[in-house]
Amino acid sequence: GQNIDQPTEMTATEGAIVQINCTYQTSGFNGLFWYQQHAGEAPTFLSYNVLDGLEEKGRFSSFLSRSKGYSYLLLKELQMKDSASYLCAVRDKGRSQGNLIFGKGTKLSVKP
Amino acid sequence: DVKVTQSSRYLVKRTGEKVFLECVQDMDHENMFWYRQDPGLGLRLIYFSYDVKMKEKGDIPEGYSVSREKKERFSLILESASTNQTSMYLCASSFRQGAHAGQPQHFGDGTRLSIL
């Protein structure tokens, strides 16, 4: 079957580092996306991983292990504006047109 | 910048009404999608379209239909609105896969629909 798990909520302190985990089960993995969504706004694209390893983009990094069905999003030097929901989404070859399956999202609260 | 525009941010309708939600994108994307987003359930795919006049059911198509008469426009139709269709509706678009495998879906700002 197809399933994506990520923690419902996390809290971290301004200036710190936080890691948001995502585990998935698919019939044919073909890429993983991370999105950020502020309350009441559209999800915006953060990162894409299709091969194992770490992709770094400024303060944000995303890691993938295909053998473990596991990814994480790492946020460094946290800022108050990073308070948002973070959505993990997997592309599955078994779905028509390789459509995405979304996790339920992790709500991150950054405190002073 | 990619722009996905949804016709309304907030909409209030009555039970039994026929409701139209409109979405337009300006990036010549082949694929367009309609999702609903509910607390604790995340984003769920209702319908998608990979070409003009083509449509496929997503994970929760019951009670909905769609129309894609032009490449840039994708409409979601609630044939007879019910209270359990109160939700946030998000439209998205992307290039067709293949050479564009890493290209993300781009989302509109959403329509918060309330059915009374």
Side-chain angles (χ1 to χ4, degrees):
Chain A
Q2 302 158 339
N3 192 45
I4 299 180
D5 285 315
Q6 47 181 133
T8 305
E9 291 187 39
M10 298 182 71
T11 302
T13 305
E14 194 175 13
I17 299 173
V18 71
Q19 178 175 311
I20 302 174
N21 296 325
C22 171
T23 58
Y24 63 86
Q25 293 173 310
T26 63
S27 54
F29 176 82
N30 197 24
L32 186 144
F33 295 83
W34 283 97
Y35 284 84
Q36 179 190 59
Q37 186 179 24
H38 286 101
E41 297 183 12
T44 54
F45 168 69
L46 287 177
S47 68
Y48 171 71
N49 295 71
V50 67
L51 299 177
D52 292 349
L54 191 68
E55 294 282 341
E56 297 189 74
K57 269 190 189 181
R59 293 190 299 114
F60 292 10
S61 304
S62 57
F63 172 83
L64 176 68
S65 168
R66 289 172 295 169
S67 61
K68 293 188 167 78
Y70 168 69
S71 173
Y72 66 72
L73 181 69
L74 193 72
L75 291 75
K76 303 177 190 173
E77 300 167 17
L78 278 173
Q79 301 175 9
M80 300 298 291
K81 68 178 182 180
D82 297 330
S83 292
S85 288
Y86 291 86
L87 312 180
C88 173
V90 173
R91 176 164 287 132
D92 187 336
K93 291 178 189 173
R95 284 166 69 86
S96 179
Q97 303 295 319
N99 282 331
L100 298 180
I101 312 161
F102 281 84
K104 294 183 171 64
T106 299
K107 185 176 179 182
L108 174 67
S109 298
V110 180
K111 306 220 180 286
Chain B
D1 267 2
V2 176
K3 189 72 177 171
V4 180
T5 304
Q6 294 184 227
S7 52
S8 306
R9 288 300 304 270
Y10 300 93
L11 206 54
V12 180
K13 296 290 181 181
R14 296 212 172 270
T15 304
E17 279 193 71
K18 191 168 186 175
V19 181
F20 293 86
L21 302 184
E22 307 287 346
C23 175
V24 176
Q25 52 93 5
D26 66 358
M27 276 300 293
D28 204 33
H29 285 160
E30 294 89 1
N31 295 347
M32 295 189 76
F33 308 84
W34 275 107
Y35 294 89
R36 64 178 283 177
Q37 187 173 32
D38 300 287
L41 296 177
L43 275 165
R44 293 180 292 166
L45 182 65
I46 304 170
Y47 265 98
F48 68 97
S49 167
Y50 52 90
D51 205 345
V52 175
K53 298 194 187 295
M54 305 302 289
K55 60 185 178 185
E56 282 197 29
K57 293 179 180 179
D59 300 309
I60 51 163
E62 297 78 18
Y64 303 94
S65 62
V66 290
S67 171
R68 191 153 181 214
E69 296 297 316
K70 293 184 178 181
K71 190 175 185 179
E72 66 271 18
R73 186 179 296 269
F74 192 36
S75 303
L76 179 70
I77 303 153
L78 285 66
E79 297 290 344
S80 176
S82 63
T83 54
N84 64 11
Q85 292 178 309
T86 291
S87 186
M88 170 70 88
Y89 289 87
L90 287 160
C91 175
S93 70
S94 75
F95 287 115
R96 187 170 292 150
Q97 297 314 301
H100 300 286
Q103 292 291 319
Q105 293 183 15
H106 297 269
F107 286 83
D109 285 334
T111 296
R112 187 164 291 282
L113 175 64
S114 296
I115 307 295
L116 305 179

